[in-house]
Amino acid sequence: MKVLQFFRAAPLLLVLGALLAFAGPKLKKTAVSKNISVGVPEGFQPLPDDGIAAKYPAPRKPLAVFSNPNGRVDLSVAQKPTTFSNRDYPLLLKIYKASIQNMYSKVEFLKEEVRTVNKREFVMLEFVSTVTDNRRGSNLAPIRKYQMVQYAIEGGQLFVFTFDAPAEEQRQWQPVAQQVMASVVMK
């Protein structure tokens, strides 16, 4: 009798399991600054200042960096002054796309757009980048990364939200990156 009940419930359990599998990762709403919050994937931890300095050497350190447990996947939020305004987003899309193409040996753009997230416009670029060492005698393998970047301008400041993961893990992390970027709130 119990076996029969199990077989009647099995299709329902399969549908429920499939729905839960597509529900996506759990994000924890995290304040990055007084006016910015972002959904950080469960298990990601904030990098301490010395970790940020080692991984992102630059005169202006990011506002925040969160990494997955093995340190191969990062979510970062950076801020820097700009003379552009949010009316310049179509132009900025072209400028940032060209800049990204110049930074890497090869870039495959998956998506490029000006889009609205939580009632705010962003410039968004999603791509897979490749860096190849072209020095003579080098036998280093190319480095490939999946990246999703969102830009927003507020009060003379450019805010950059970046999610990056190894390209070979793109299928796993792309839905997470999309959810993270859709969770950004700027007041």
Side-chain angles (χ1 to χ4, degrees):
M1 188 82 158
K2 289 186 184 214
V3 172
L4 188 57
Q5 288 175 337
F6 172 78
F7 283 113
R8 282 189 194 151
L12 182 61
L13 291 173
L14 284 174
V15 169
L16 182 62
L19 287 174
L20 290 174
F22 288 108
K26 289 193 186 306
L27 300 181
K28 181 181 178 192
K29 184 177 178 180
T30 305
V32 173
S33 72
K34 182 173 80 168
N35 298 320
I36 299 172
S37 68
V38 63
V40 175
E42 203 170 73
F44 278 49
Q45 293 295 318
L47 278 183
D49 284 344
D50 57 340
I52 292 173
K55 207 167 191 178
Y56 295 88
R60 187 174 287 124
K61 79 175 185 90
L63 294 174
V65 178
F66 303 91
S67 287
N68 74 332
N70 68 16
R72 291 170 41 102
V73 181
D74 286 343
L75 165 61
S76 66
V77 181
Q79 173 185 353
K80 63 182 178 181
T82 185
T83 57
F84 290 104
S85 77
N86 56 7
R87 292 185 306 273
D88 299 320
Y89 281 3
L91 173 63
L92 288 174
L93 177 64
K94 293 176 184 174
I95 290 171
Y96 290 132
K97 181 179 178 183
S99 176
I100 287 167
Q101 287 172 315
N102 287 329
M103 266 194 283
Y104 301 103
S105 308
K106 179 182 173 192
V107 180
E108 174 194 347
F109 284 95
L110 307 172
K111 199 179 267 187
E112 52 190 90
E113 64 187 1
V114 175
R115 69 184 195 159
T116 303
V117 174
N118 296 318
K119 301 178 186 172
R120 173 174 292 277
E121 282 197 323
F122 291 87
V123 171
M124 192 275 292
L125 295 163
E126 184 179 23
F127 56 94
V128 175
S129 62
T130 304
V131 175
T132 307
D133 188 354
N134 293 325
R135 294 179 295 191
R136 281 175 74 155
S138 174
N139 61 355
L140 295 174
I143 299 169
R144 298 183 68 240
K145 284 196 161 219
Y146 163 75
Q147 298 180 64
M148 187 173 212
V149 185
Q150 255 179 200
Y151 305 88
I153 295 175
E154 180 65 40
Q157 297 291 309
L158 172 69
F159 294 89
V160 184
F161 302 84
T162 306
F163 190 99
D164 67 71
E168 62 271 13
E169 297 177 25
Q170 177 183 344
R171 289 184 70 164
Q172 174 188 351
W173 292 109
Q174 187 172 23
V176 177
Q178 291 167 346
Q179 278 194 286
V180 165
M181 294 304 175
S183 76
V184 173
V185 175
M186 294 180 69
K187 298 174 187 166

